[in-house]
Amino acid sequence: MSPTRDPLEIVDAPPDDAHRRVPAWAWALLVLVLGMALTLWQADGEKRHSRSEAQRVFVQETEGVAEALRAQLGQCGHLIRAFQSIFLASEQVTEAEYIRAYENMQSSSAMRVGLQALAYAERRREVDGDHYVTTMFAPQSGNGVIRGLDVTTQPSNLQALLHSRDTDELAMSAPFVLRQSGRRGLGDGFILRLPVFAPGTQPGTVQARRNAIIGSIGASFRLSDLIASVLPESPKQLADLVVEDVSAGTARPLYSETFASRRDGAAHSEYAVSLQFGGRTWKVVAHGANPEDGSWLLVLGIGAAISALLAALTWSLVSTRARAITLGTSMARRFQASEERFRKLNEVLPCLVLLIRRSDGRIVYRNAAARTHLGGDDSAGLPGLLPPGQQQELQWPGNDPAGVSVHDVQLLARDGNWFWASTWTSSVELDGVSMWLLVASDTSEQRRLTERLSHQASHDSLTRLFNRREFERQVQARLATPGLDEGAILFLDLDQFKLINDTSGHRAGDELLVQLAIVMQERLRPEDVLARLGGDEFGVLLPGPADMDATMQTAERLRRSIEAFIFVWEGRSYTVSASIGVVLLRSAESLKALFAHADAACYLAKEAGRNRIHAYVEDDAAITRRMSEMEWANRVRDALRDGRLLLDYQELHPLQPGHKGAQVELLLRLRGEDGTEVQPGAFLPAAERYGLMPQIDHWVVETALGNLDRLHPDGAGLTSCSINLSAASLENEALIERIQQLLRFHQIDPQRITFEITETVAMRDFSASSALIARLRGLGCKVALDDFGAGMSSFGYLKNLELDAVKIDGSFVQNMQDDPMSQSIVRAVTEIGHLQGLQVVAEWVSTPQLCALLASMRVDYVQGFALHRPERVCFQRDDDV
């Protein structure tokens, strides 16, 4: 019997078949011919590709220059927007602040490339229209010529300014010759502009922007420096490049460059890229060189060598059986090494990897992470790793190997605890056995973090109560859900909280809030919602059917519990109380209205004496008045933002010889949204209550001093202008510093300015009033005590305050002819004022007879409708409709 042969063994063919074989040299020659043919085809393709690649690089370099130029312009835009943000963050930017901001931005790339000046042009309303005069600029060196420059004298510059004003967007001017002198040749340049609007809500229409603009920021750049900074030093395919301005429909060259590295190459193609920026269009036009590329020769040489090598390899493969066997063995070893690397990689994966046999559910493999972290028994399969409730929820994928099933489940840990994991399961087949491949990642920490973040987003970090956002969400949910809109809300405001903060510190205040939260929580039902709304304010949502009586009882329990609570801190005992506002949910249709009613009710409880409850009811006159004041406060804010405040002047008439020149007092008015004029008595009380008087005082001072010679028909002949200051300005250091800056900037003689402070304000805070008067007189300004006698103060004020004038309250003046007591008071004030060296002014003079009587008492000036009715200041008369 002949021996059994291995079926995989390769044996030589019988000798008689040898003549049928193709010789090895023939196979080698065939491979050589085919290889050279392929090489010639590849070389021709490479030659075409080389030309195409050169064109691609040329286009890419041209577009790169355009993109770099766009980015550089963008940096310039960011720079000027950064300066615009300085004006948005501050109601008034001084020149020192302006220069300091410029120095802080020295690192900006826009600062280093072509920037000539950053200038601010202030809007000035003249008889012939608006002018924009440059008042601040940086750097100071070399730019002195632009100080006082009127932008309206530069058409290109003005066009960019007006475009930026109307669109509230960045605007670029057409190129023009820059005005700076004393510097190396600047050539053509351009200016980027952004508007600066009056403080307040950003205007939304073109007309509103035209009314609200107070100035414009401009950044001038030199074209040659800016464009040259983005050009490549040694381009591969660029021969020359031209940048043109095509905004007007015709091309205006801005810059051209011929690259030295390509100066000898022949330009063979042209490519242009347009870019838009700041309302203008630039075009980058480039020509490319056509260098000869010999890469196809290299391909030909390499192809020939490879063809020869392949021919030799073919000769070797055909003629040598051992070489094929060696190659096969090598490939088998590589596959084995690759499989071993895969197994090791699977072992070091941090994910949990399981192989589960589909036939019986047994776990047949766990990687190292699974062996370390998972519990359970392999024989029990995956169900032994899942809680009972989740065994039915896990859905396995179908037989498709590409199908993957993803679930979040709990798995049994090695220590017997459960942990959350995200699982991916797929069907695989190994050695003919169907398996489930399960990969799991522990997500327990991620879940805990998510829950913690969710809690922090809805709770107050100090008291652990709900925060305002969550409180509003729950109230809004009840209002929006039919059948759940029953109930009430309470607003609580602690009455003596600031005292504890001031005397014992903020740590004591924080601890008081924590303890009061516990006290209030104990007085509420489990379903009631208690929240800290901010500071020392709390809110309570009382869900479910409720009438006002039941709600008031709950509010009273809370008030008594807070009043009875004694807070002890570092040996000191404190008691606090709360003012509570009560509103039923059905009292308002929106969350905003509901909270406004609750806030107003809480405010009225506090205003009525604190430690009490005020319930909102329909047609509540007190709350209606409160809401009216809030509405007037909003209207004043809108008027400040939209430039609808007005100034009138009333002349003071001299009664004694020796007084020369016009003297006026400025009176505030407001133009309503419908164009009607509103008297100050309608809106000033709301402005005082809601803290708007500092802004109004600031506006009056800025407007009056900035237009002093345009207030009265006498112009610069106006000898005295009186400006009223509110109580809010008593300790306003910023206002005093601004007055000093304006006097210096506009070169105003301080003796022309008189500031009036009412007697009531002076009595309310005598020390602050004395300090303010001293500061104003230190600037050289005059100070008058207005409405003297209205506050029932003693004549000692005239002695202790450093005044220049006293104005007798009109209630005494108008009754002088029929009231001997009023006549005696006026005479006494006049005599004492003259003894103190003060000028005496009588207000509310309504008849010529009163003028004669006051003249006989040697009163210096009189003021009233009988002599002069208030008129609009001259520079605002063009704005009247």
Side-chain angles (χ1 to χ4, degrees):
M1 178 181 291
S2 61
T4 304
R5 179 177 62 83
D6 185 351
L8 298 178
E9 181 182 359
I10 299 176
V11 296
D12 293 334
D16 57 337
D17 292 336
H19 66 282
R20 299 178 184 176
R21 297 177 182 174
V22 178
W25 63 268
W27 285 108
L29 181 60
L30 178 62
V31 169
L32 180 61
V33 171
L34 292 175
M36 288 305 299
L38 181 61
T39 298
L40 290 173
W41 176 78
Q42 184 68 24
D44 182 66
E46 178 63 25
K47 191 172 184 179
R48 291 194 300 270
H49 174 72
S50 177
R51 293 175 179 173
S52 176
E53 181 63 15
Q55 178 66 16
R56 185 191 67 79
V57 171
F58 162 63
V59 172
Q60 184 177 11
E61 288 181 339
T62 305
E63 292 179 344
V65 170
E67 187 59 32
L69 184 55
R70 183 182 289 108
Q72 188 64 265
L73 290 172
Q75 287 292 328
C76 297
H78 292 325
L79 170 66
I80 192 170
R81 288 192 184 280
F83 262 73
Q84 186 190 41
S85 67
I86 298 172
F87 286 84
L88 295 177
S90 174
E91 292 186 358
Q92 183 65 37
V93 177
T94 65
E95 187 168 8
E97 293 171 343
Y98 190 92
I99 295 174
R100 184 162 57 253
Y102 172 85
E103 293 171 350
N104 291 338
M105 296 184 183
Q106 287 295 310
S107 60
S108 169
S109 62
M111 290 284 195
R112 300 191 295 269
V113 181
L115 176 66
Q116 303 307 307
L118 269 167
Y120 172 74
E122 177 183 326
R123 179 187 181 184
R124 294 182 179 177
R125 294 184 173 94
E126 302 290 352
V127 176
D128 59 345
D130 288 349
H131 290 257
Y132 295 86
V133 180
T134 302
T135 59
M136 295 185 287
F137 55 89
Q140 298 285 311
S141 176
N143 287 309
V145 70
I146 67 174
R147 181 180 294 278
L149 173 65
D150 190 344
V151 176
T152 58
T153 63
Q154 296 181 327
S156 297
N157 195 354
L158 179 61
Q159 184 180 6
L161 185 150
L162 297 179
H163 182 70
S164 69
R165 176 200 66 186
D166 291 346
T167 62
D168 194 17
E169 296 290 343
L170 187 70
M172 177 194 292
S173 74
F176 65 97
V177 177
L178 299 177
R179 288 283 300 273
Q180 289 90 333
S181 62
R183 309 173 70 174
R184 57 194 179 96
L186 295 177
D188 281 353
F190 66 93
I191 290 181
L192 296 180
R193 285 212 165 269
L194 274 175
V196 176
F197 297 113
T201 304
Q202 200 71 3
T205 64
V206 172
Q207 188 59 45
R209 297 186 191 109
R210 292 178 177 177
N211 292 336
I213 188 170
I214 61 173
S216 176
I217 306 173
S220 58
F221 298 85
R222 186 171 53 188
L223 281 168
S224 58
D225 284 355
L226 187 138
I227 298 176
S229 68
V230 302
L231 298 182
E233 294 182 1
S234 300
K236 295 181 179 179
Q237 291 296 329
L238 288 179
D240 58 68
L241 181 142
V242 177
V243 180
E244 303 171 337
D245 186 337
V246 296
S247 305
T250 58
R252 176 180 178 179
L254 304 178
Y255 183 85
S256 63
E257 180 70 30
T258 301
F259 297 96
S261 59
R262 295 296 174 195
R263 201 163 280 155
D264 297 330
H268 73 95
S269 62
E270 179 179 293
Y271 187 72
V273 180
S274 296
L275 60 92
Q276 285 82 32
F277 187 84
R280 301 201 68 80
T281 302
W282 287 4
K283 181 184 286 187
V284 179
V285 183
H287 294 90
N290 188 21
E292 188 67 22
D293 190 351
S295 59
W296 66 276
L297 295 174
L298 179 62
V299 172
L300 184 63
I302 294 176
I306 292 176
S307 298
L309 290 174
L310 287 176
L313 180 60
T314 302
W315 175 280
S316 177
L317 289 175
V318 174
S319 62
T320 308
R321 177 171 177 263
R323 193 176 186 90
I325 297 174
T326 302
L327 181 60
T329 303
S330 174
M331 292 180 64
R333 288 175 179 172
R334 290 177 186 173
F335 178 78
Q336 183 178 6
S338 176
E339 182 180 6
E340 184 65 24
R341 286 195 298 270
F342 174 77
R343 289 180 178 273
K344 290 182 178 179
L345 177 63
N346 194 48
E347 282 295 302
V348 299
L349 281 176
C351 296
L352 313 177
V353 181
L354 301 178
L355 276 177
I356 305 166
R357 194 159 47 214
R358 295 182 63 175
S359 59
D360 57 7
R362 182 183 179 88
I363 299 175
V364 298
Y365 170 76
R366 303 185 186 208
N367 70 343
R371 291 193 297 273
T372 302
H373 295 92
L374 284 178
D377 184 7
D378 288 349
S379 61
L382 185 62
L385 299 176
L386 296 172
Q390 291 187 353
Q391 294 179 7
Q392 302 300 323
E393 297 179 6
L394 190 63
Q395 300 291 326
W396 296 99
N399 293 323
D400 183 6
V404 177
S405 179
V406 181
H407 296 280
D408 285 333
V409 298
Q410 284 184 299
L411 296 177
L412 181 63
R414 193 178 185 87
D415 59 5
N417 295 319
W418 299 98
F419 68 92
W420 281 97
S422 293
T423 62
W424 296 264
T425 54
S426 180
S427 176
V428 297
E429 186 170 318
L430 298 177
D431 297 331
V433 180
S434 295
M435 302 276 188
W436 296 120
L437 172 65
L438 185 144
V439 180
S441 176
D442 188 349
T443 59
S444 300
E445 184 62 29
Q446 180 180 352
R447 276 180 169 261
R448 284 191 292 270
L449 179 60
T450 301
E451 293 172 356
R452 186 182 306 119
L453 291 176
S454 177
H455 183 273
Q456 291 175 354
S458 61
H459 286 73
D460 175 52
S461 60
L462 176 64
T463 61
R464 306 297 181 186
L465 300 176
F466 287 124
N467 56 21
R468 186 183 189 97
R469 177 182 178 184
E470 178 63 17
F471 185 72
E472 291 180 349
R473 188 193 68 78
Q474 294 200 29
V475 175
Q476 180 64 53
R478 297 196 70 85
L479 290 175
T481 306
L484 295 180
D485 55 351
E486 290 291 329
I489 63 170
L490 313 179
F491 270 21
L492 296 87
D493 191 302
L494 301 182
D495 295 327
Q496 289 84 21
F497 183 73
K498 186 176 184 300
L499 173 64
I500 297 175
N501 262 348
D502 294 342
T503 57
S504 296
H506 290 281
R507 286 183 53 215
D510 291 347
E511 181 60 27
L512 172 61
L513 293 175
V514 171
Q515 295 186 22
L516 282 178
I518 298 172
V519 170
M520 288 187 286
Q521 196 76 62
E522 293 174 348
R523 300 299 187 274
L524 297 172
R525 301 169 299 178
E527 64 269 24
D528 296 336
V529 178
L530 175 62
R532 183 188 177 200
L533 305 182
D536 58 350
E537 298 177 352
F538 294 85
V540 180
L541 170 61
L542 303 175
D547 55 25
M548 184 57 76
D549 291 339
T551 303
M552 291 294 287
Q553 291 176 8
T554 302
E556 180 63 19
R557 286 199 304 271
L558 287 175
R559 187 196 66 78
R560 289 181 179 178
S561 65
I562 295 172
E563 183 183 32
F565 177 71
I566 299 176
F567 175 63
V568 179
W569 179 263
E570 295 181 350
R572 294 184 178 181
S573 297
Y574 298 93
T575 59
V576 294
S577 60
S579 300
I580 304 177
V582 179
V583 180
L584 298 180
L585 294 184
R586 62 173 178 266
S587 300
E589 297 181 355
S590 67
L591 180 70
K592 181 179 179 181
L594 186 69
F595 276 41
H597 294 334
D599 183 65
C602 182
Y603 177 85
L604 290 173
K606 186 176 288 289
E607 193 176 55
R610 297 184 173 87
N611 192 25
R612 62 194 65 219
I613 303 168
H614 188 98
Y616 170 81
V617 294
E618 292 186 7
D619 300 327
D620 189 323
I623 290 185
T624 301
R625 184 176 65 254
R626 164 75 169 169
M627 299 296 290
S628 176
E629 289 181 350
M630 294 172 64
E631 181 181 352
W632 268 114
N634 291 330
R635 293 177 65 181
V636 171
R637 292 188 186 97
D638 292 342
L640 282 165
R641 180 197 64 203
D642 299 338
R644 288 189 283 104
L645 291 183
L646 305 171
L647 288 178
D648 284 0
Y649 68 86
Q650 187 177 38
E651 295 179 350
L652 280 69
H653 284 253
L655 295 180
Q656 307 302 327
H659 299 288
K660 297 181 180 179
Q663 301 190 36
V664 299
E665 178 184 358
L666 295 183
L667 306 174
L668 186 64
R669 304 288 187 265
L670 182 147
R671 179 181 290 128
E673 295 85 344
D674 57 356
T676 59
E677 186 174 307
V678 182
Q679 296 298 310
F683 62 87
L684 282 185
E688 291 173 350
R689 182 181 295 276
Y690 287 92
L692 298 176
M693 288 308 301
Q695 300 178 48
I696 292 177
D697 285 351
H698 189 92
W699 180 88
V700 172
V701 169
E702 289 273 355
T703 305
L705 298 186
N707 301 274
L708 185 62
D709 292 343
R710 299 194 299 152
L711 300 175
H712 189 269
D714 286 0
L718 180 66
T719 59
S720 177
C721 174
S722 296
I723 301 172
N724 291 279
L725 294 181
S726 68
S729 297
L730 287 182
E731 298 180 273
N732 190 347
E733 289 292 330
L735 179 63
I736 303 301
E737 293 176 1
R738 185 57 183 160
I739 292 172
Q740 184 176 13
Q741 294 171 359
L742 291 170
L743 291 173
R744 184 170 57 251
F745 181 80
H746 295 290
Q747 299 180 350
I748 298 173
D749 180 5
Q751 287 291 302
R752 296 176 65 191
I753 307 299
T754 299
F755 289 99
E756 296 188 5
I757 303 172
T758 66
E759 178 194 15
T760 305
V761 170
M763 289 175 60
R764 187 181 305 164
D765 193 337
F766 183 78
S767 60
S769 300
S770 299
L772 174 66
I773 292 172
R775 290 290 306 275
L776 292 173
R777 298 187 85 238
L779 298 178
C781 300
K782 297 179 180 180
V783 180
L785 187 64
D786 196 12
D787 296 340
F788 185 78
M792 303 303 292
S793 64
S794 69
F795 288 112
Y797 278 102
L798 297 181
K799 179 180 179 182
N800 297 323
L801 291 175
E802 298 180 5
L803 301 170
D804 296 282
V806 60
K807 301 184 74 173
I808 304 173
D809 186 67
S811 61
F812 297 111
V813 176
Q814 66 179 355
N815 297 324
M816 279 179 52
Q817 290 178 295
D818 302 321
D819 184 1
M821 180 61 71
S822 296
Q823 193 172 135
S824 299
I825 291 174
V826 171
R827 181 177 288 104
V829 172
T830 304
E831 292 176 357
I832 294 174
H834 286 162
L835 287 175
Q836 291 291 113
L838 309 180
Q839 289 190 338
V840 180
V841 181
E843 299 179 303
W844 296 11
V845 177
S846 57
T847 64
Q849 292 78 10
L850 277 177
C851 286
L853 182 58
L854 291 167
S856 67
M857 295 180 181
R858 300 190 57 77
V859 171
D860 298 292
Y861 290 92
V862 290
Q863 179 180 355
F865 281 10
L867 304 169
H868 180 253
R869 302 189 70 85
E871 296 182 61
R872 186 62 31 82
V873 293
C874 295
F875 76 93
Q876 285 187 336
R877 291 178 183 176
D878 294 339
D879 298 336
D880 291 339
V881 179

